[in-house]
Amino acid sequence: MSHPGLNMNAVLTEAVLTRLGEKALNLGGRILFAVICFLIGAQVIKFVRRAVHRGMEKAKADVGVVQFVDSFLKAALYVVLALMIASSFGVDAASIVALLGSAGVAIGLAVQGSLSNLAGGVLILLLKPFKVGDYIVEGASGKEGEVSEIQIFYTKLVTPDNREIILPNGALANNSIVNVTTRHCRRADVKVSIAYGADLKKAKDVLLQMLKEDDKVLKSRDINVFVEELGESAVILNLRCWFTNEEFWEGKWRITENCKYVLDEAEIEIPFNQLDVHMRGEV
């Protein structure tokens, strides 16, 4: 004959195991449901982003605006999806919002740099100091390059030697920016030195003629060759002309190289730094 206490323990153990199994099954079902919801939600988010992207392209919005809205929309929709999945586990979305609200000060202090970058991105899109495709120089750091992307928090530049620079939007919004490509043309200044004993007028004439014969130099703008400085070892001349933005760098490099050729042909010396030392005899 079995003991009544042992039977009771067995029944309780079986009930506990059954209840744990039901809870584990229920939890597994919720996790599976959450995974399915996430996968479906991710596809819906991609669809919404593509639809908004196509709509903004049809409206001929700036590329930077399209990139910014897309990244902001992606972050916002994933936050909404996370709240929906959390609610499926019995978490009250209103409680989450209230909790975030009560912790707003601490969160704001922790992410104040990111919030500054977000605000900077909004200002860039509203004021439009530059757009995707412009070549800019950031005043504080001197970083420069062509704008390739304008995201929520950062702007990406590509340098002429194909390096990528990532600058925070907050810094761009709060510092001076030189937008090189706003105007259709750009002035080039090339400095060259000639010896003090050289024929100054002849040097200016041959350099000016070289500039006038260059096909890419804009003849509608001023072309000058003038004395920039009387240096310690040479007379420094400045060649000033204008190129379109597309031709600027190639034109400046070509003009600099041609200075050497025409001065050599005219037998005008390009001196190197030198120092005359006078020795006194012993008394």
Side-chain angles (χ1 to χ4, degrees), residues 31-277:
I31 293 175
L32 179 61
F33 177 75
V35 172
I36 294 174
C37 286
F38 178 81
L39 295 176
I40 295 174
Q43 295 302 316
V44 171
I45 290 173
K46 288 182 180 179
F47 175 79
V48 172
R49 288 172 61 198
R50 282 197 297 266
V52 172
H53 191 277
R54 286 195 296 267
M56 296 187 70
E57 284 185 340
K58 288 182 179 179
K60 296 182 179 180
D62 289 341
V63 178
V65 176
V66 175
Q67 293 172 347
F68 183 89
V69 171
D70 179 67
S71 56
F72 183 82
L73 185 63
K74 178 182 177 181
L77 290 177
Y78 271 108
V79 170
V80 172
L81 179 60
L83 290 175
M84 293 175 61
I85 293 175
S87 64
S88 68
F89 282 87
V91 179
D92 187 6
S95 300
I96 296 176
V97 174
L99 180 61
L100 292 177
S102 62
V105 176
I107 294 174
L109 291 174
V111 298
Q112 58 181 342
S114 297
L115 292 177
S116 174
N117 292 333
L118 175 61
V122 174
L123 287 175
I124 289 171
L125 293 179
L126 290 177
L127 302 178
K128 296 183 179 179
F130 58 84
K131 62 183 183 298
V132 172
D134 285 353
Y135 191 97
I136 66 171
V137 182
E138 197 270 325
S141 63
K143 299 290 191 305
E144 60 182 277
E146 181 179 332
V147 180
S148 61
E149 291 183 36
I150 303 176
Q151 295 290 339
I152 297 180
F153 302 112
Y154 299 98
T155 292
K156 294 182 179 180
L157 309 181
V158 177
T159 63
D161 57 351
N162 205 34
R163 291 179 298 163
E164 186 174 76
I165 300 176
I166 300 176
L167 296 174
N169 288 334
L172 287 174
N174 293 321
N175 290 310
S176 61
I177 299 172
V178 179
N179 192 332
V180 177
T181 52
T182 302
R183 305 292 183 177
H184 79 283
C185 61
R186 184 176 176 185
R187 192 184 76 190
D189 287 82
V190 177
K191 296 181 181 180
V192 61
S193 301
I194 64 171
Y196 271 101
D199 188 332
L200 177 60
K201 185 177 184 306
K202 182 179 180 181
K204 291 176 65 176
D205 289 342
V206 296
L207 292 173
L208 185 61
Q209 185 63 29
M210 180 264 294
L211 292 178
K212 291 180 178 180
E213 291 176 355
D214 191 289
D215 294 336
K216 299 301 182 180
V217 173
L218 297 179
K219 306 305 186 294
S220 59
R221 305 300 295 262
D222 294 337
I223 301 175
N224 294 319
V225 178
F226 55 92
V227 177
E228 174 79 12
E229 182 184 351
L230 298 177
E232 294 181 355
S233 303
V235 178
I236 301 173
L237 301 179
N238 191 341
L239 288 72
R240 180 168 290 175
C241 59
W242 296 76
F243 295 98
T244 62
N245 285 320
E246 294 78 12
E247 295 289 340
F248 177 78
W249 288 111
E250 291 290 340
K252 185 173 183 179
W253 297 333
R254 184 174 59 255
I255 291 298
T256 303
E257 182 177 343
N258 287 340
C259 285
K260 169 66 173 170
Y261 297 148
V262 298
L263 291 177
D264 284 348
E265 185 178 350
E267 297 182 348
I268 296 174
E269 180 186 357
I270 302 177
F272 51 85
N273 289 336
Q274 52 189 309
L275 179 65
D276 292 336
V277 179

Side-chain angles (χ1 to χ4, degrees), residues 13-29:
T13 301
E14 183 178 356
V16 170
L17 291 176
T18 302
R19 190 171 180 180
L20 287 175
E22 292 175 352
K23 287 186 175 182
L25 184 62
N26 185 31
L27 180 60

